[in-house]
Amino acid sequence: TIIIFFFVLRGFFIFPKISSHYFIPKKKTTTDQSQVETNTLPVSQPKDSVQIATAKKKSGLSEVVTYQSKDSIIFTGEGIAVLFGEGKVMYEEKELNAEFIRMNMDSSLVYATGRIDTLGNKIGYPVFVDKGDEYGSETLLYNFDTGKGFSTNGVTEQGEGYIIAGQTKKMPDGSFFMTNGKYTTCDLHEHPHFYLNLTKGKVRPKKNVVAGPAYLVMEDVPLPLALPFGFFPFTSKYSSGVIMPTYGDEMARGFYLRDGGYYFAVSDYIDLSLTGDIYTKGSWGLKATSSYIKKYRFSGSFNSHYITTITGDKIAGDYQTQKDFSLSWSHNQDAKVNPSVTFRASVDFSTTGYNRNDLTNMYNVNSRTQNTKRSTINYGRRFLDNKLSLQSSMQIAQVSADSTIEMSFPNLTISLSTIYPFKRKNAFGQERWYEKISFSYQGSLVNRIRTKEDKFLQSRLNRDWINGMTHSIPVQASFTLFNNINITPSFQYKENWNTIRIDQRWDDDRKKVVNDTLHGFYRLYDYSFSISANTQLYGFYTPLPFLGDKVKTIRHVFKPSIGFSMRPDFGSDKYGYYQRLVYFNEGELVEREYSPFSGAVYGPPGKGRSGSINFGVDNNIEMKIKSDRDSTGVRKISLIDKLAFSTSYNLVADSLNWSNISASLAIKITKSYNLNVSASFDPYTYVARKNANGTWGAPRKVNLTQWEKNHVPGRLTNMSFSIPSIAWSNTNNPFLKKKDDKNKQSNASNALTGENEETAMDIPQKNDNESKDKTLDSDGYQKWTVPWSFNLNYNIGLVRGEFDYDNMEYKLKWNQSLSFGGSLQLSKNWSFSFNSTYDFERKELGYSSCSISRNLHCWSMQASIIPFGPYPSYNFSISVNSSLLRDLKWDQRSSPYDSMTWY
């Protein structure tokens, strides 16, 4: 009933943007125009006895009729000419080609048909051309004078489908009437897998088809699915039209019609589609989608969707109504429009429950597992020979876990690139030391709010939004000492402007600390000074001769660095960045310290005077070996790309002066894959004391180093391994060297494109043909090829676990994550894909999805399933490949609302 209803609807609607042309399974033949114009037989005949002649009609024909054949022409006494073997008749803009043509010389009637050759193949069936439009059929009777004709089993291509007419009557205007016709998108014309049997209809080429009663036929079996009439428009122009909805069923929301509406062809630069969703249990939705492009200027797309989801029953007490909204916008400006101006937009905003209620995101792994969405809009402009730049932006971050939204708008950033104010315009001689002094500037203005989704629209700009501005001016220079040591002093000045301060006071009546928000202009500043020095030392090692001459040289690059930095204590009373609150609470004196600017956009500078010395070393080791692969005879191999350590010592702290030791290692595994390891070591020890009740108290760090206690620089606190994602396929193995084998590359390409129809279950057959066949291996067997791919992303590291009170050290535990997926093309028509994650904490598979598809020639079968996770569901569909008959399908799916698994 559902399918019948949709076919009835399709009879009323027009579908946009469908092109049309005629399909004739026959090659065209050309005619020498010089021979067409002659009224006599040609002087020289081809070897196959081609005969060319013309005839002038006594009746209403206004032009000369030219005819010819490849085999022979027979004239009878009754004024009949019979053409055998690739016959051709031409009149004005009309042309008829067929294996057999019978032409009445006294009238304008011609009859044409084909024949069956000795191999049983049908050849030479009539092909009629009229003003560039071609028609093919088994038999044809045509009148050149009236322009009318009659044919049987004609085939024409209309848009994405084919019309196979049982009996056809052609009219002078180019249209034709047919009976017992077939309309299908299957290109097997003689025996299509499915078709609509059109009892009668009228076809206007490149315009439309109007059909009477029709019914569906599947594999030559008529089905009780019919429609009283149909209207199929065909146009090659960009046009508007109705978009038919898809249908389905859900237990919670009921039967639905989804994505139905109207398509607007606004102009050549922009389009718009308005669609809607409706469910029988009250849920509904509206969607607007648009794409736009202006060549060499900009391009983008816009998509908005509003959903009202109603679930449950009022009587049962579980009735719920949820309103969700989604907005996405992407815009890119072509850099050639204006190199000094940039504009980009990437907006992805939606309410928390949108992904759960939108059926289109059901099997989208990224959307179902995405916890945070970010949207940005950026506009930039450069001035003063690109030294001064202005950037404005809007940023939105959504956290789906707790429906928190943080919006920052407008944001303004002003940057001045590095300039040298003391550099001479007309310099001569050596560069002066003061000419190396440079400075730059960067300022940022921020206006932001952090709230819940349901309270965002009720927020007040002057109360709930906070704003401020920051300025940063770094000044630095670079000098060389002893021609090898680089000295870099720098001075950094920073200033923050805020519009609010929050003072605290004790309220005796309410017995609590209350906040008083004051609005105004408040200026905070800080500064610091630093100086650093670094150099490079090289070491070379040449192996002794008796160890062999394969290794030529080993080079070690050692890069030590040291730096000093200092900063005054901005927590002192003279700056006023921190306040003390003193009050009596239940007879006790309470004293606490706070900053009135801690809730502002730019908080106060940190407390405490600082002065530290930074230490760092970096190492690189390379080796040169003999090699025939290089024209120089030697090849460079990287043993260690990077091995670095760094730490610092606090000069003003009274204890715990050393910071954690940071270490990093980078090793090149292959040409495309590197292994990166980073770690941190704590130089101090921990102690813990038991409480009065016998339990252990919290561990605390003491001023006893690991070197003093255990004679080691530090104890490992965490380590992470950065392993690149690896993708395997039958055409790519990242761990094997690539060979220059053209046959293998060609065979792999055929496998990916599906040209090799052999499957994994095919048994190799010996072929005695010694010719060079790319589908055969060196032994003459058929190559076994199954296109497949597999990707793996694995992260592993060590982190701190529980505290070991016996040894007074933290235990380490492994932290791992694994995600994997792949695809497998079992044959030319079967394909399988999957994606999954493994949870090492729960020791079970996490979010997983898999799908399998089958190409059924003009149909497609797809099945998808989510077996694990909070939203287990499945989807199975069989549909026609053509978008014109996309509603001719069977779709069965489940919904997360139908599952009892909720987290």
Side-chain angles (χ1 to χ4, degrees), residues 195 197 215-225:
Y195 57 88
N197 193 298
Y215 57 89
L216 181 63
V217 178
M218 299 281 295
E219 294 291 351
D220 296 331
V221 178
L223 300 181
L225 303 175

Side-chain angles (χ1 to χ4, degrees), residues 7 10 160 183-185 194 196 232 879-889:
F7 276 111
R10 186 171 289 281
E160 298 181 25
Y183 181 77
T184 181
T185 57
F194 80 99
L196 285 172
F232 303 90
S879 59
V880 177
N881 293 336
S882 173
S883 61
L884 183 63
L885 298 179
R886 61 185 180 133
D887 296 313
L888 187 57
K889 65 177 182 178

Side-chain angles (χ1 to χ4, degrees), residues 69-357:
S69 69
K70 184 178 181 180
D71 185 83
S72 60
I73 300 178
I74 299 177
F75 297 93
T76 67
E78 300 175 355
I80 301 296
V82 182
L83 285 66
F84 294 95
E86 299 184 12
K88 177 185 296 186
V89 178
M90 293 168 287
Y91 173 72
E92 294 181 341
E93 298 181 358
K94 301 179 179 65
E95 180 179 319
L96 174 62
N97 297 273
E99 187 69 17
F100 174 84
I101 300 177
R102 184 176 67 243
M103 182 174 60
N104 194 329
M105 304 295 291
D106 297 329
S107 65
S108 53
L109 287 176
V110 293
Y111 171 80
T113 185
R115 67 180 179 86
I116 305 297
D117 64 7
T118 56
L119 298 177
N121 299 322
K122 299 178 180 180
I123 62 173
Y125 279 87
V127 176
F128 183 76
V129 182
D130 186 6
K131 298 179 180 179
D133 297 331
E134 297 183 356
Y135 308 85
S137 60
E138 288 189 0
T139 63
L140 174 65
L141 179 63
Y142 185 75
N143 191 317
F144 280 103
D145 186 16
T146 63
K148 296 180 180 182
F150 182 83
S151 63
T152 60
N153 295 329
V155 179
T156 62
E157 183 178 0
Q158 295 289 327
E160 298 181 25
Y162 302 91
I163 294 179
I164 307 169
Q167 295 179 343
T168 305
K169 182 179 180 181
K170 187 180 181 304
M171 305 305 294
D173 59 357
S175 63
F176 52 89
F177 296 89
M178 64 178 177
T179 59
N180 296 325
K182 301 175 183 178
Y183 181 77
T184 181
T185 57
C186 182
D187 57 2
L188 298 177
H189 310 133
E190 296 185 1
H191 196 269
H193 292 114
F194 80 99
Y195 57 88
L196 285 172
N197 193 298
L198 310 178
T199 58
K200 57 182 179 180
K202 179 181 180 180
V203 179
R204 295 197 302 167
K206 298 183 180 180
K207 294 182 179 179
N208 53 56
V209 174
V210 180
Y215 57 89
L216 181 63
V217 178
M218 299 281 295
E219 294 291 351
D220 296 331
V221 178
L223 300 181
L225 303 175
L227 67 158
F229 63 90
F231 177 70
F232 303 90
F234 305 102
T235 177
S236 58
K237 297 180 180 179
Y238 173 55
S239 59
S240 304
V242 171
I243 302 175
M244 287 296 294
T246 59
Y247 59 88
D249 191 15
E250 238 186 63
M251 182 179 295
R253 293 185 282 191
F255 175 77
Y256 62 82
L257 299 178
R258 186 165 54 88
D259 295 332
Y262 198 82
Y263 177 87
F264 296 91
V266 181
S267 68
D268 293 337
Y269 309 104
I270 186 172
D271 65 354
L272 174 66
S273 65
L274 298 178
T275 58
D277 313 328
I278 186 170
Y279 298 78
T280 55
K281 293 187 179 181
S283 301
W284 59 277
L286 294 174
K287 182 185 292 185
T289 303
S290 177
S291 298
Y292 57 89
I293 184 171
K294 186 75 171 179
K295 186 173 287 189
Y296 308 121
R297 296 187 65 85
F298 56 81
S299 64
S301 61
F302 175 85
N303 192 330
S304 63
H305 195 186
Y306 178 83
I307 306 175
T308 297
T309 304
I310 299 175
T311 58
D313 188 88
K314 292 183 179 180
I315 300 177
D318 59 349
Y319 183 83
Q320 292 183 353
T321 301
Q322 183 175 350
K323 298 180 180 180
D324 295 293
F325 176 75
S326 171
L327 174 66
S328 62
W329 177 39
S330 176
H331 180 89
N332 291 299
Q333 178 180 292
D334 197 317
K336 295 186 289 293
V337 177
N338 190 342
S340 62
V341 177
T342 60
F343 180 68
R344 297 185 303 272
S346 177
V347 177
D348 184 10
F349 179 86
S350 65
T351 55
T352 304
Y354 175 79
N355 288 339
R356 184 172 64 253
N357 296 322

Side-chain angles (χ1 to χ4, degrees), residues 352-412:
T352 304
Y354 175 79
N355 288 339
R356 184 172 64 253
N357 296 322
D358 183 23
L359 286 178
T360 58
N361 290 323
M362 185 72 62
Y363 300 93
N364 189 331
V365 176
N366 295 329
S367 64
R368 302 297 283 182
T369 58
Q370 187 178 17
N371 185 48
T372 303
K373 291 185 176 182
R374 300 186 183 276
S375 303
T376 59
I377 301 176
N378 296 285
Y379 173 82
R381 189 176 182 88
R382 293 187 292 271
F383 307 90
L384 303 177
D385 296 331
N386 296 329
K387 289 187 175 294
L388 180 65
S389 65
L390 175 67
Q391 298 283 337
S392 61
S393 66
M394 180 187 74
Q395 299 178 355
I396 303 176
Q398 295 176 265
V399 181
S400 302
D402 57 358
S403 69
T404 299
I405 180 173
E406 183 174 348
M407 182 175 183
S408 181
F409 175 77
N411 297 333
L412 184 64

